[in-house]
Amino acid sequence: MAVSATILGCSGPRLTADEKRFFAEVDPWGFILFGRNVEAPDQLRALCADLRTALGRDAPILIDQEGGRVQRLRSPHWQEFPPALDQITALPPADVARAMWMRGRLIAHDLAEMGIDVNCAPNLDLVTPQTHDFLKNRCYGSDPEPVARAARALVDGMAHGGVLAVMKHMPGHGRAGLDTHHDLARISAGRDDLYRHDFAPFAALNDLPMAMTAHIVFEAIDATAPATCSAQMIYIIRQDIGFQGLLMTDDISMQALTGSLGVRSAAAISAGCDVVLHCNGVTLEMAEVAAAAGPLGAAAQTRAAAALAARTAPQPVDIKALRAEFEAMLHGQGNG
């Protein structure tokens, strides 16, 4: 059976027998983990191994380990990181790139030791006066160029530690005044503003292997569908922004989208997304999503293979020394 055009979650810290059978049958391209799946290092390593064993291959395992309130691995077992915007705005500009590289490398250390090889970061959404609080301090700033530089540093740090990046939320969530977990946001900015501002950081990092869409309507381009389900928006992502990597949806069960999960999934694939992301681990929902998403298409297979080919083993680094340098910089003892 062909690999499913899905990334799926599981219900708890250990796979059930039913989940093992379900995943073996559906064969999702990858998995995503949440706080409900995380208890302790040994448990998490075993879960990652069991997920891959269920598929019989080295499937990618994703997580959201941004820092701040969006980090699934937490103390006392793992390092806590401040919200990205808080870290960046507290530092002299000369220190930002080094601090973000260290942040990425330290996050990757924690993830790779568990068997997690993809982190859903960086956020390239730009802070605006309208940015909803659920997103604001997860962003890296309001100016496209320094945001892109900070994001590149984080990506490079994670790659040094053997973890791939997923840039989000493409092509830009910052103007949204609503939380798309609950509501559909509509952006009225004109094309010129969007290209010059919102889309610019994504264009600067368009060489990354993976990206995640935004469930947002950009009225100047397609007033009828959110980017996730809009062929016009996906065309802009591919042709104008220039992203040729694997494009996954944001969580397809978020309430910004309407219709059944099957309708949403089919619409996303039809619009040009490569993979549908479903996060809550509910088997009946996952079955509906997988049936509608179908197998990876030919172009998606090529992009997926290229993304996986970018995985590398962690390069050596003195983690203790790096952690000490990072903490010193955060507490005002950096070089800038």
Side-chain angles (χ1 to χ4, degrees):
M1 181 176 176
V3 172
S4 168
T6 54
I7 297 170
L8 303 177
C10 54
S11 61
R14 292 160 192 84
L15 281 189
T16 67
D18 286 344
E19 284 176 326
K20 291 178 183 179
R21 285 190 292 269
F22 173 77
F23 291 138
E25 178 182 346
V26 170
D27 200 10
W29 181 70
F31 297 101
I32 188 163
L33 301 179
F34 282 81
R36 67 178 182 270
N37 308 122
V38 178
E39 291 180 341
D42 287 346
Q43 165 271 322
L44 186 53
R45 274 189 288 265
L47 176 61
C48 290
D50 287 347
L51 287 167
R52 291 183 170 116
T53 297
L55 303 188
R57 57 183 168 85
D58 189 18
I61 297 179
L62 291 72
I63 201 164
D64 295 284
Q65 190 74 355
E66 297 177 13
R69 68 184 178 280
V70 181
Q71 50 187 340
R72 315 306 183 194
L73 276 57
R74 310 202 74 114
S75 63
H77 299 295
W78 297 280
Q79 183 173 357
E80 299 263 357
F81 294 86
L85 188 63
D86 294 359
Q87 174 181 315
I88 289 169
T89 55
L91 289 171
D95 282 349
V96 169
R98 175 63 178 168
M100 290 302 285
W101 187 93
M102 290 191 290
R103 180 187 181 102
R105 184 61 183 85
L106 291 167
I107 287 172
H109 172 74
D110 288 345
L111 299 184
E113 282 202 326
M114 299 300 104
I116 299 165
D117 52 10
V118 182
N119 189 21
C120 296
N123 288 348
L124 295 181
D125 313 303
L126 299 177
V127 176
T128 72
Q130 294 80 37
T131 306
H132 193 279
D133 284 345
F134 98 94
L135 179 64
K136 186 173 182 180
N137 72 357
R138 299 163 57 194
C139 301
Y140 296 175
S142 57
D143 186 342
E145 290 187 7
V147 165
R149 287 195 299 270
R152 178 69 72 179
L154 182 95
V155 168
D156 289 348
M158 291 197 303
H160 190 277
V163 171
L164 297 179
V166 178
M167 60 177 173
K168 59 190 188 186
H169 304 84
M170 204 171 209
H173 205 301
R175 293 181 192 262
L178 299 173
D179 180 350
T180 47
H181 291 87
H182 307 293
D183 300 287
L184 176 63
R186 305 183 69 89
I187 305 302
S188 61
R191 277 179 175 259
D192 289 347
D193 284 346
L194 291 171
Y195 276 82
R196 184 174 59 251
H197 189 258
D198 306 58
F199 299 173
F202 295 96
L205 276 78
N206 66 10
D207 59 315
L208 294 192
M210 287 179 278
M212 180 185 293
T213 62
H215 297 331
I216 292 175
V217 171
F218 293 85
E219 293 179 335
I221 298 166
D222 183 353
T224 66
T228 300
C229 301
S230 166
Q232 292 166 267
M233 291 305 306
I234 304 302
Y235 179 87
I236 284 173
I237 287 171
R238 294 298 191 195
Q239 302 302 319
D240 297 345
I241 294 174
F243 175 69
Q244 298 303 316
L246 187 81
L247 187 64
M248 67 188 71
T249 72
D250 203 346
D251 183 6
I252 205 70
S253 64
M254 289 165 64
Q255 295 310 301
L257 304 180
T258 57
S260 68
L261 292 175
V263 166
R264 301 175 189 188
S265 301
I269 295 294
S270 178
C273 289
D274 295 312
V275 178
V276 176
L277 175 68
H278 181 274
C279 295
N280 67 23
V282 175
T283 302
L284 285 176
E285 292 189 12
M286 293 190 290
E288 180 181 358
V289 168
L296 281 176
Q301 288 179 41
T302 299
R303 296 180 188 120
L308 295 186
R311 293 188 295 190
T312 59
Q315 298 179 47
V317 73
D318 185 336
I319 289 294
K320 185 176 180 181
L322 198 66
R323 191 169 284 127
E325 182 187 350
F326 181 71
E327 293 298 328
M329 190 173 282
L330 293 190
H331 291 89
Q333 300 166 39
N335 300 316

